[in-house]
């Protein structure tokens, strides 16, 4: 995962229903005595929105006491165990929103608490409904251009392949090239404080040169090499992440014609 400073760190992956367990070791400097008002460990799920900095929207909070008030004179190790934790959302780090899970240890002291966070990453399998219809659409400019395009289905897993065809039924403008792109659209907040950010994940040129009437262009786009997430809709009523296939035609005068179609992306268990 990327940190706020654009560094990349590794963290363990957990799934919905997995228990969260581990050990906390607290050390004191030079054998000095440290008086505390208790030590606790928490497991927290929170959503941070860029326009609402300073506010963490916690949707999950579990807590366990590790030690009663007392003194620390030497290093101590404590075990913790949160059993079969429901993690209803998948971890996500986007442009305007971050959904994270982390373990927090707090040593309570009269003057200032000492805290330490450790992130984990959560994957979840939310299979879409069984229906997975092919996508068929038309793009046309009256008396100038008429094309049909179809994709084999509307829902894809993260390692899937998009297979499709484009049919040219009428071509009276000179098309220079055509490309297919995958766009991720992140929506955060709600009106009037709603923000949309779109980013192009990849561009895939599917034709270079002018087609003729009756021509068919095949499409085959492998998703496994791209940094995709599943589709998220109204996560905790805070944000959504949707994906679109964007077909763009450019003519010799650099005019652009495009058509967008939403697709659903989901995660399947890896072997």
């Amino acid at each position: 995962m990327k940190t706020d400073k654009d560094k990349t760190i590794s963290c363990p992956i957990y799934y919905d229903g997995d228990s969260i367990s581990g050990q906390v070791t607290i050390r004191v400097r030079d054998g000095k005595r440290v008086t505390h008002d208790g030590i606790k460990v928490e497991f927290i799920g929170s959503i941070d929105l860029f326009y609402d900095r300073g506010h963490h929207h916690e949707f999950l909070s579990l807590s366990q006491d590790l030690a009663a008030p007392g003194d620390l004179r030497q290093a101590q190790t404590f075990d913790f165990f949160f059993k079969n934790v429901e993690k209803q959302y998948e971890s996500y780090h986007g442009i305007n929103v971050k959904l994270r899970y982390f373990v927090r240890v707090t040593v309570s002291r009269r003057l200032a608490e000492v805290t330490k966070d450790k992130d984990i990453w959560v994957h979840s399998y939310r299979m879409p409904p069984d229906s997975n219809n092919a996508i068929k659409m038309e793009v046309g400019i009256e008396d100038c251009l008429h094309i049909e395009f179809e994709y084999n289905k509307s829902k894809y897993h993260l390692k899937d392949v998009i297979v499709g065809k484009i049919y040219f039924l009428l071509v009276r403008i000179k098309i220079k090239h055509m490309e297919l792109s995958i766009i991720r659209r992140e929506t955060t907040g709600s009106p009037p404080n709603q923000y949309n950010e779109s980013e192009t994940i990849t561009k895939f040129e599917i034709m270079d040169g002018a087609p003729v009437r009756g021509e068919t262009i095949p499409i085959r786009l492998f998703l496994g090499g791209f940094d995709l997430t599943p589709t998220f809709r109204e996560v905790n009523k805070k944000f959504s992440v949707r994906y679109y296939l964007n077909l763009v035609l450019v003519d010799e005068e650099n005019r652009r014609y495009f058509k967008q179609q939403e697709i659903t992306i989901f995660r399947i268990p890896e072997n």
Side-chain angles (χ1 to χ4, degrees):
M1 58 175 262
K2 283 188 176 180
T3 66
D4 292 334
K5 298 176 181 177
D6 275 344
K7 292 183 178 179
T8 301
I9 62 171
S10 297
C11 50
I13 293 178
Y14 287 81
Y15 300 91
D16 183 22
D18 282 352
S19 298
I20 309 292
S21 62
Q23 290 184 325
V24 176
T25 299
I26 299 177
R27 297 179 177 86
V28 293
R29 262 188 207 149
D30 304 325
K32 292 181 180 178
R33 187 182 72 173
V34 175
T35 301
H36 63 86
D37 295 327
I39 302 170
K40 68 177 179 179
V41 61
E42 298 169 278
F43 182 61
I44 297 170
S46 74
I47 298 174
D48 300 340
L49 301 164
F50 94 104
Y51 63 83
D52 197 14
R53 292 189 185 279
H55 289 84
H56 305 288
H57 303 275
E58 292 187 3
F59 57 86
L60 172 65
S61 181
L62 304 173
S63 180
Q64 292 178 1
D65 290 326
L66 298 179
D71 294 339
L72 281 172
R73 299 176 182 272
Q74 60 187 14
Q76 280 189 260
T77 297
F78 305 93
D79 294 321
F80 66 88
F81 184 74
F82 296 101
K83 186 176 181 181
N84 300 340
V85 182
E86 180 188 4
K87 309 169 202 66
Q88 62 187 120
Y89 308 123
E90 179 157 326
S91 298
Y92 175 73
H93 281 198
I95 298 172
N96 291 332
V97 62
K98 179 191 298 182
L99 190 152
R100 62 188 285 245
Y101 293 86
F102 57 95
V103 175
R104 171 174 289 166
V105 177
T106 303
V107 180
S108 298
R109 302 185 69 197
R110 192 168 301 168
L111 296 177
E113 291 183 338
V114 179
T115 63
K116 178 72 173 179
D117 294 351
K118 181 68 176 177
D119 280 88
I120 71 165
W121 197 264
V122 171
H123 281 172
S124 60
Y125 305 121
R126 299 281 186 266
M127 302 297 284
D130 289 339
S131 62
N132 197 354
N133 300 325
I135 300 171
K136 292 187 178 182
M137 286 189 297
E138 295 184 4
V139 178
I141 304 168
E142 191 173 352
D143 297 329
C144 293
L145 177 71
H146 186 193
I147 64 174
E148 288 182 352
F149 59 97
E150 63 177 55
Y151 305 115
N152 59 334
K153 50 191 177 182
S154 56
K155 297 166 185 172
Y156 300 88
H157 63 77
L158 290 168
K159 307 294 183 185
D160 219 334
V161 182
I162 295 174
V163 177
K165 290 179 181 177
I166 297 174
Y167 306 96
F168 289 87
L169 305 177
L170 176 65
V171 184
R172 286 184 180 158
I173 57 175
K174 292 191 175 180
I175 297 173
K176 190 164 60 175
H177 76 269
M178 182 164 53
E179 66 188 26
L180 182 67
S181 56
I182 300 176
I183 294 174
R184 174 162 52 215
R185 184 168 300 148
E186 179 186 286
T187 303
T188 53
S190 55
N193 296 318
Q194 190 171 67
Y195 300 86
N196 289 292
E197 289 282 355
S198 294
E199 58 179 318
T200 300
I201 304 299
T202 184
K203 283 185 179 178
F204 176 64
E205 186 170 84
I206 52 180
M207 187 190 73
D208 186 16
V212 297
R213 180 178 176 178
E215 190 134 25
T216 301
I217 307 289
I219 296 172
R220 187 173 289 270
L221 179 58
F222 294 84
L223 298 179
F226 305 119
D227 183 21
L228 301 173
T229 70
T231 294
F232 302 130
R233 290 188 172 90
E234 295 297 325
V235 175
N236 201 236
K237 297 183 179 178
K238 295 289 188 297
F239 73 95
S240 298
V241 179
R242 292 180 163 90
Y243 288 89
Y244 297 85
L245 291 177
N246 191 40
L247 184 69
V248 180
L249 290 84
V250 182
D251 69 14
E252 289 192 338
E253 296 179 17
N254 283 328
R255 289 177 298 202
R256 299 170 69 86
Y257 313 92
F258 65 91
K259 186 80 171 181
Q260 268 190 14
Q261 173 64 39
E262 184 175 1
I263 59 172
T264 299
I265 297 181
F266 59 96
R267 185 184 300 282
I268 58 173
E270 297 179 8
N271 293 331

